[in-house]
Amino acid sequence: ATKAVEEHLNEPEFNVVSLAEAMNMSRSTLSRKIKVITGKTPLDFIKDIKMQHACRMLENKTVTIAEVVMALGYSDHKHFTTSFKEVFGITPSEYQKKMKTQ
């Protein structure tokens, strides 16, 4: 499942239904299995993978937040920022500043 999400990171239309299709199972079966294995919903599973990639990209001091947004398939900068802050408690720009000082 992780590999399927990573192969489609930059696709804005990749969602839970797409992941279920990639895994050759129904959405409900995917939801059950992901929940049992990770304790997360499939949507949170996808978001967490994207956010981990966002962190790695933001650690590269030459990458802009706009480039990360596009690379991860977000069509809205604000939605990306909100999702990032939900997961890490800080905005992408705060994260990037923190990485620059280390």
Side-chain angles (χ1 to χ4, degrees), residues 4-82:
V5 173
E6 289 175 341
E7 288 173 355
H8 300 279
L9 275 178
N10 65 341
E11 298 174 21
E13 65 281 349
F14 188 80
N15 58 23
V16 176
V17 173
S18 307
L19 179 57
E21 289 172 2
M23 299 295 296
N24 292 319
M25 58 180 71
S26 70
R27 182 180 175 159
S28 59
T29 300
L30 174 74
S31 294
R32 266 194 323 278
K33 289 182 184 265
I34 293 286
K35 187 77 169 174
V36 167
I37 294 169
T38 67
K40 300 173 185 170
T41 66
L43 190 59
D44 286 338
F45 176 77
I46 292 169
K47 183 168 70 169
D48 285 354
I49 292 170
K50 286 188 173 203
M51 292 301 113
Q52 294 304 320
H53 280 273
C55 282
R56 283 188 226 120
M57 292 176 76
L58 290 169
E59 288 168 8
N60 178 346
K61 293 160 180 53
T62 61
V63 175
T64 67
I65 294 169
E67 289 170 329
V68 174
V69 170
M70 288 182 55
L72 295 179
Y74 282 89
S75 55
D76 180 20
H77 185 89
K78 186 176 180 179
H79 181 244
F80 169 74
T81 300
T82 303

